[in-house]
Every structure is written in C-alpha cells, then in structure tokens.
Amino acid sequence: MKASFEGKRMGFALTGSFCTLDAALTIISDLVRSGAEVVSIISQSVDTMDTKFGTAEGLKEKLTELTGQPVITTILEAEPIGPAKLLDILVVLPATGNTMAKIAYGITDTTVTMAVKAHLRNNRPVVLGLSSNDALGSGAKNIGMLLGMRNIYFVPFGQDNPHEKPRSMVLKGEYTLATIDEALHGRQLQPMVV
C-alpha cells in the first residue's frame, strides 16, 4: 500500500518477540519514508537482552538512526505521551501475549504498557501487531477482550505454523501500513483474521 503519513506523529513500540524485530525495522523505515515522525518505544526485554537475532545496543542504534529520535526505554519517559498528547497513533509490533494481556487488564508496569495507557487517555488509536505462540490457547481470552476495546485495532493475523505450533498466531506484516491508515480513520482493516 502506498500511504502518505506526512505530518503524522507515530509511536512504534517493540516487545520481546525477537524473531519479529527485523520485520518491525522494515515497517519503521517504510513509515519514515512515507513522511511520518516515528518515536521508538521498547520493552525492558528489548532494551536489555542480546539474542541470536542481535544485540540490544545494536537495535537501539538502528532505531535512533532510522527515526532520528531517542528511544523511549523507561516508564518515566513513556508517561508524558498522554498528558503532552505526543502521538497521533501508537503501534505495538510485535505485541507479545504478555504485553497484550497487560493491556487487556490495564496493567501499566512496563514502558510499552505505560505508553499504551498514556496514549489511550487521549482517545487515539493503538494498533497491535500480535506475535504469540499461545494466541489460540490461554492468550485467546485476552485477544477477545482487546477486540472489544475502543481505539484498539489489529494488524490482520493468522496461524503461522498450524501443524507444529497449533496455538501460534502472528501478524501479516504486509498489512501494517494499511491497518495504520484505517485506524487513523477509526476503522479496522478487514479481513482481520487471514
């Protein structure tokens, strides 16, 4: 999709589904190229863990280089998102089962969940790009709760490996920009489950 997000202020929060982070970087790059001002927000896991997918410091350097903005890494830094009305939209991608459960139940004990809470107080959209090995297990009830919440939108998602991981679901990244565009207009991109 060719969307223009010229002048839009977007938060892009990354949580600990490390295998999805490279795809998130590509999406951030696309958003910046489309004219968006992007602010990165990362969970404690992303901030501190080195994995086979790369180092935490390397990821933070890439985020700063892509966006030209410092990375938000603490609850204290995330809290002003609400009172200062810093963002037009907030994208959480990847959104892990743990993060989605906390959002569903209003728990704000992480940088990302504080950013979501602070942003939602302004009645503005949050887009979730789920990545969970248990989305069709114990995480299903949390997804169901989020589907009924105002200002929450999902990047279309589906099972990624139904034979080996029958409860796992993951976003379809190619729909992210279209989902953001629709959410900015108060609409959920359809179909949502693909």
Side-chain angles (χ1 to χ4, degrees), residues 6 8 19 23 25 66 102 151 154 165 191:
E6 195 69 42
K8 293 295 181 189
C19 61
L25 290 172
L66 278 173
K102 289 181 176 195
N151 293 315
F154 280 85
K165 301 188 302 179

PDB file of all heavy atoms in Angstrom, residues 6 8 19 23 25 66 102 151 154 165 191:
ATOM      1  N   GLU A   6       2.472  11.893   5.981  1.00  0.00           N
ATOM      2  CA  GLU A   6       3.133  13.190   6.149  1.00  0.00           C
ATOM      3  C   GLU A   6       2.527  13.935   7.333  1.00  0.00           C
ATOM      4  O   GLU A   6       1.319  14.110   7.433  1.00  0.00           O
ATOM      5  CB  GLU A   6       2.970  14.026   4.877  1.00  0.00           C
ATOM      6  CG  GLU A   6       3.892  15.209   4.800  1.00  0.00           C
ATOM      7  CD  GLU A   6       5.339  14.828   4.626  1.00  0.00           C
ATOM      8  OE1 GLU A   6       5.641  13.912   3.832  1.00  0.00           O
ATOM      9  OE2 GLU A   6       6.177  15.451   5.310  1.00  0.00           O
ATOM     10  N   LYS A   8       2.260  13.012  10.403  1.00  0.00           N
ATOM     11  CA  LYS A   8       1.709  12.180  11.479  1.00  0.00           C
ATOM     12  C   LYS A   8       2.811  11.821  12.473  1.00  0.00           C
ATOM     13  O   LYS A   8       3.931  11.465  12.100  1.00  0.00           O
ATOM     14  CB  LYS A   8       1.078  10.901  10.930  1.00  0.00           C
ATOM     15  CG  LYS A   8      -0.152  11.148  10.093  1.00  0.00           C
ATOM     16  CD  LYS A   8      -1.274  11.742  10.908  1.00  0.00           C
ATOM     17  CE  LYS A   8      -2.521  11.959  10.080  1.00  0.00           C
ATOM     18  NZ  LYS A   8      -3.541  12.720  10.781  1.00  0.00           N
ATOM     19  N   CYS A  19      12.208 -12.667  17.083  1.00  0.00           N
ATOM     20  CA  CYS A  19      12.259 -13.112  15.685  1.00  0.00           C
ATOM     21  C   CYS A  19      11.494 -12.172  14.759  1.00  0.00           C
ATOM     22  O   CYS A  19      11.643 -12.252  13.545  1.00  0.00           O
ATOM     23  CB  CYS A  19      11.732 -14.537  15.559  1.00  0.00           C
ATOM     24  SG  CYS A  19      10.020 -14.727  16.078  1.00  0.00           S
ATOM     25  N   ALA A  23      11.486  -7.453  10.904  1.00  0.00           N
ATOM     26  CA  ALA A  23      10.317  -7.021  10.140  1.00  0.00           C
ATOM     27  C   ALA A  23       9.809  -5.683  10.667  1.00  0.00           C
ATOM     28  O   ALA A  23       9.390  -4.817   9.883  1.00  0.00           O
ATOM     29  CB  ALA A  23       9.220  -8.081  10.214  1.00  0.00           C
ATOM     30  N   LEU A  25      11.610  -3.309  11.994  1.00  0.00           N
ATOM     31  CA  LEU A  25      12.523  -2.272  11.500  1.00  0.00           C
ATOM     32  C   LEU A  25      12.185  -1.874  10.062  1.00  0.00           C
ATOM     33  O   LEU A  25      12.237  -0.692   9.705  1.00  0.00           O
ATOM     34  CB  LEU A  25      13.972  -2.743  11.590  1.00  0.00           C
ATOM     35  CG  LEU A  25      14.543  -2.871  13.000  1.00  0.00           C
ATOM     36  CD1 LEU A  25      15.919  -3.531  12.953  1.00  0.00           C
ATOM     37  CD2 LEU A  25      14.618  -1.526  13.705  1.00  0.00           C
ATOM     38  N   LEU A  66      17.222   5.221  12.199  1.00  0.00           N
ATOM     39  CA  LEU A  66      16.040   5.225  11.333  1.00  0.00           C
ATOM     40  C   LEU A  66      15.112   6.407  11.601  1.00  0.00           C
ATOM     41  O   LEU A  66      14.588   7.023  10.679  1.00  0.00           O
ATOM     42  CB  LEU A  66      15.234   3.940  11.516  1.00  0.00           C
ATOM     43  CG  LEU A  66      15.681   2.699  10.766  1.00  0.00           C
ATOM     44  CD1 LEU A  66      14.862   1.494  11.204  1.00  0.00           C
ATOM     45  CD2 LEU A  66      15.553   2.901   9.267  1.00  0.00           C
ATOM     46  N   LYS A 102      -1.472  -7.651  29.534  1.00  0.00           N
ATOM     47  CA  LYS A 102      -1.367  -6.478  30.406  1.00  0.00           C
ATOM     48  C   LYS A 102      -2.225  -5.319  29.888  1.00  0.00           C
ATOM     49  O   LYS A 102      -2.885  -4.638  30.667  1.00  0.00           O
ATOM     50  CB  LYS A 102       0.095  -6.056  30.555  1.00  0.00           C
ATOM     51  CG  LYS A 102       0.888  -7.049  31.384  1.00  0.00           C
ATOM     52  CD  LYS A 102       2.333  -6.626  31.560  1.00  0.00           C
ATOM     53  CE  LYS A 102       3.037  -7.616  32.476  1.00  0.00           C
ATOM     54  NZ  LYS A 102       4.294  -7.111  32.968  1.00  0.00           N
ATOM     55  N   ASN A 151     -10.745   1.996  20.384  1.00  0.00           N
ATOM     56  CA  ASN A 151      -9.470   2.543  19.907  1.00  0.00           C
ATOM     57  C   ASN A 151      -8.343   1.512  19.803  1.00  0.00           C
ATOM     58  O   ASN A 151      -7.180   1.887  19.672  1.00  0.00           O
ATOM     59  CB  ASN A 151      -9.016   3.747  20.741  1.00  0.00           C
ATOM     60  CG  ASN A 151      -9.935   4.919  20.568  1.00  0.00           C
ATOM     61  OD1 ASN A 151     -10.319   5.249  19.452  1.00  0.00           O
ATOM     62  ND2 ASN A 151     -10.323   5.539  21.664  1.00  0.00           N
ATOM     63  N   PHE A 154      -6.177  -4.184  15.160  1.00  0.00           N
ATOM     64  CA  PHE A 154      -5.212  -5.252  14.931  1.00  0.00           C
ATOM     65  C   PHE A 154      -4.724  -5.264  13.495  1.00  0.00           C
ATOM     66  O   PHE A 154      -5.536  -5.154  12.562  1.00  0.00           O
ATOM     67  CB  PHE A 154      -5.838  -6.623  15.228  1.00  0.00           C
ATOM     68  CG  PHE A 154      -5.894  -6.978  16.679  1.00  0.00           C
ATOM     69  CD1 PHE A 154      -6.941  -6.545  17.474  1.00  0.00           C
ATOM     70  CD2 PHE A 154      -4.896  -7.752  17.252  1.00  0.00           C
ATOM     71  CE1 PHE A 154      -7.010  -6.873  18.819  1.00  0.00           C
ATOM     72  CE2 PHE A 154      -4.947  -8.094  18.596  1.00  0.00           C
ATOM     73  CZ  PHE A 154      -6.002  -7.654  19.387  1.00  0.00           C
ATOM     74  N   LYS A 165       2.876 -25.712  15.576  1.00  0.00           N
ATOM     75  CA  LYS A 165       2.530 -24.776  16.659  1.00  0.00           C
ATOM     76  C   LYS A 165       1.055 -24.391  16.500  1.00  0.00           C
ATOM     77  O   LYS A 165       0.751 -23.278  16.083  1.00  0.00           O
ATOM     78  CB  LYS A 165       3.416 -23.526  16.608  1.00  0.00           C
ATOM     79  CG  LYS A 165       4.901 -23.790  16.719  1.00  0.00           C
ATOM     80  CD  LYS A 165       5.717 -22.513  16.852  1.00  0.00           C
ATOM     81  CE  LYS A 165       5.513 -21.558  15.716  1.00  0.00           C
ATOM     82  NZ  LYS A 165       6.272 -20.307  15.826  1.00  0.00           N
ATOM     83  N   PRO A 191     -10.195  -8.240   5.780  1.00  0.00           N
ATOM     84  CA  PRO A 191     -10.483  -9.114   6.906  1.00  0.00           C
ATOM     85  C   PRO A 191      -9.368  -9.038   7.955  1.00  0.00           C
ATOM     86  O   PRO A 191      -8.201  -8.821   7.600  1.00  0.00           O
ATOM     87  CB  PRO A 191     -10.586 -10.505   6.284  1.00  0.00           C
ATOM     88  CG  PRO A 191      -9.709 -10.423   5.067  1.00  0.00           C
ATOM     89  CD  PRO A 191      -9.817  -9.000   4.578  1.00  0.00           C
TER      90      PRO A 191
END
